[in-house]
Amino acid sequence: MSVARRFARISSAARPAGRRLLFRRAVVLGGSVAGLMAARVLSDHADEVVIIERDDLETLTVTDEQIAADPLHAVPPRPGVPQGAQVHALLPAGQMQLERWFPGFVDAALETGAINPPPGSGRFYLDGQLRADPPTGPAMQGLISSRPFLEALIRNRVLALPGVRVERGRAQGLTIAGDAVTGVRWIPEGSEQAVEQDADFVVDATGRSTRLGDWIGEYGFTAPPLQRMGIKLNYATAIYRRPPDPQVWTAISVVTAAPGRTARIGGFTPIEGDRWTMLVSGYADDRPSRDPEDYQRRCEQDFPAEFGDVARTAERASEIATYHQVDSRRRNFDELDRFPARLVAAGDAVASFNPVYGQGMTSAMLHASCLSDYLRGDPDLQRPATGYFADVRVVVDAAWQISTMPDLALPHVDGPYPPGYPVLQWFGRLMAQAAAKDRTVNRELGLVTSMLAHPSSLARPGLLLRALTATIR
Ligand SMILES: Cc1cc2nc3c(=O)[nH]c(=O)nc-3n(C[C@H](O)[C@H](O)[C@H](O)COP(=O)(O)OP(=O)(O)OC[C@H]3O[C@@H](n4cnc5c(N)ncnc54)[C@H](O)[C@@H]3O)c2cc1C
């Protein structure tokens, strides 16, 4: 089966077909987007699903109604997810997966306060030029909210499932007998003593700094190869009060690197509670600070006029939150010869990308879909979950290619370069140029950037010819 077809299977919107019990107890380490989605899938296969999370999710859990009544205070960012204060866009493929696993999710989110801006109220700028038809078109509409809001709605639905519960504490390791995981070691909140919890299946969803490699290393297994691309990304996000009916609801500005031009991405999107969340970013030494004057100056000088308008006229409703991400990284579990059975990793623990492409949460949701396919495919649970990791690789490759190709064009990024880089680079530029002139190419590219299709789906002779014709024209 081609990777494009495999990707289509993984990202399918088809609802799961009932429960298929495999485990007495499954344990998920980390209760953020990847962990919650994994728990949703596991609830179809285990009597009991235990999420071990270091943050106090129980106190944080408030109902949809409470969120709708007080969206400004009901769901604050939490310490375990420091990126939660930054702009988070959900790609259309992620939205589709949420609807798949929680039917009615999108309507409920909109009723609770998420925003679907009016058609035509978004602006997309590429290198300072307003583009009528942005390649990320579908991503600019739909379900827009803050990250804590979205996570809270997912959490409400997962914790309402029979058999799913949260334990607060810090995961510290695994227990492994022979070649299979038998449980986890963790320190409950308020205790100094590690305890063991038996499990028939374990998912590591502890994020990009996972210690899974060390944990399996204690039992003589090798950590997965870690590939890194140094991107030195700097984010700064502020929240503003939004008038009820602004002319422009959303704006995104992408400036690519070129001689005399500094690569920068910025955007503002409407979120629950009549607010905007606005991002300005830079790379390497171009580092926005928490100083309001610096932030305002950047909005006015480095981005299209709409950014300055918001910063000047709207009331700022938050401190400026900054975030530095050193690298994009991936762990290639599928390349290991030996790995414990009954253990998988999901979400950022597998791969975490330059966030400007908005792929992280959607990838985590697609990993959950890989887990479902694996568990429904009659797996041999005495052997490593190679089928799962092979599918996850398809998802990671797709996101990695879309995010690292443009990142490799940044002057401070020096690899690693993929095989055939010059051809891929030429192809990427061709598609980007053709998308500005041809609606079909634009739509196909949009499907790929919104993770609804695999990048290899662009390499069709007919589409290539169309792109070439469009650029020559
Ligand atoms: C600045 C920034 C902006 C981003 N913007 C976007 C965006 O626009 N769109 C998008 O889709 N994605 C975005 N992302 C990525 C997104 O945040 C993640 O991909 C997403 O949160 C899924 O991650 P995760 O659940 O795998 O890990 P995380 O969200 O990092 O969560 C890990 C969880 O594990 C818990 N944990 C960690 N260690 C332990 C332990 N030992 N014991 C118990 N619990 C533990 C943590 O408390 C946390 O809850 C962005 C990321 C960054 C950094």
Side-chain angles (χ1 to χ4, degrees), residues 59-400:
T59 309
L60 279 171
T61 299
V62 288
T63 62
D64 287 11
E65 291 72 27
Q66 286 169 313
I67 299 171
D70 185 11
L72 293 184
H73 306 104
V75 278
R78 60 187 178 88
V81 180
Q83 73 271 29
Q86 302 295 332
V87 165
H88 266 66
L90 178 67
L91 298 182
Q95 188 172 319
M96 205 164 93
Q97 288 304 311
L98 284 178
E99 196 59 36
R100 174 189 191 193
W101 290 103
F102 309 100
F105 188 97
V106 175
D107 283 346
L110 292 172
E111 272 166 32
T112 310
I115 311 290
N116 182 12
S121 65
R123 305 250 169 104
F124 178 77
Y125 290 87
L126 181 61
D127 295 330
Q129 303 295 315
L130 182 62
R131 284 273 304 272
D133 213 357
T136 49
M140 292 184 74
Q141 290 167 8
L143 185 162
I144 309 182
S145 72
S146 71
R147 156 66 198 249
F149 174 99
L150 187 67
E151 190 184 305
L153 262 58
I154 301 173
R155 187 165 61 232
N156 281 350
R157 280 145 187 80
V158 172
L159 297 189
L161 294 166
V164 178
R165 68 186 162 87
V166 184
E167 295 280 1
R168 185 174 181 201
R170 188 173 293 270
Q172 264 224 323
L174 302 166
T175 55
I176 298 180
D179 276 348
V181 163
T182 54
V184 302
R185 268 201 328 273
W186 66 290
I187 304 183
E189 175 67 17
S191 164
E192 288 178 5
Q193 204 68 35
V195 295
E196 290 183 4
Q197 168 76 74
D198 293 346
D200 302 315
F201 195 81
V202 174
V203 177
D204 171 32
T206 53
R208 76 194 313 264
S209 305
T210 174
R211 297 197 44 229
L212 187 66
D214 298 339
W215 295 344
I216 60 172
E218 287 174 26
Y219 293 90
F221 291 89
T222 310
L226 176 66
Q227 192 178 357
R228 289 177 154 168
M229 179 176 288
I231 54 167
K232 298 184 187 155
L233 172 72
N234 309 309
Y235 255 42
T237 292
I239 290 176
Y240 290 86
R241 297 206 188 284
R242 172 171 48 84
D245 197 13
Q247 204 190 350
V248 177
W249 285 66
T250 305
I252 296 174
S253 163
V254 178
V255 177
T256 55
R261 204 165 66 198
T262 306
R264 286 192 185 104
I265 292 186
F268 60 85
T269 59
I271 57 168
E272 71 281 358
D274 299 323
R275 295 173 297 168
W276 269 308
T277 170
M278 185 152 76
L279 160 75
V280 300
S281 75
Y283 288 101
D285 298 334
D286 181 22
R287 200 162 182 164
S289 70
R290 300 181 61 199
D291 171 19
E293 280 179 27
D294 172 59
Y295 192 87
Q296 176 130 357
R297 183 187 56 71
R298 285 171 181 272
C299 290
E300 290 184 322
Q301 291 179 4
D302 299 343
F303 294 96
E306 292 87 345
F307 288 72
D309 289 347
V310 169
R312 216 177 22 258
T313 59
E315 182 193 342
R316 188 159 52 79
S318 76
E319 300 287 307
I320 292 153
T322 55
Y323 194 96
H324 178 66
Q325 185 167 315
V326 182
D327 57 22
S328 295
R329 57 175 71 167
R330 58 185 288 176
R331 296 178 175 87
N332 296 328
F333 288 88
D334 61 299
E335 291 174 3
L336 288 169
D337 293 332
R338 231 183 123 235
F339 192 72
R342 297 174 179 265
L343 173 67
V344 298
D348 285 15
V350 179
S352 121
F353 315 95
N354 181 340
V356 302
Y357 308 100
Q359 300 165 318
M361 297 188 296
T362 296
S363 292
M365 291 166 194
L366 292 173
H367 295 177
S369 175
C370 298
L371 181 60
S372 174
D373 282 358
Y374 166 69
L375 294 175
R376 286 176 189 279
D378 206 12
D380 180 352
L381 293 164
Q382 305 316 317
R383 301 184 55 75
T386 44
Y388 167 80
F389 285 119
D391 272 358
V392 163
R393 167 123 203 174
V394 171
V395 177
V396 173
D397 280 347
W400 187 261

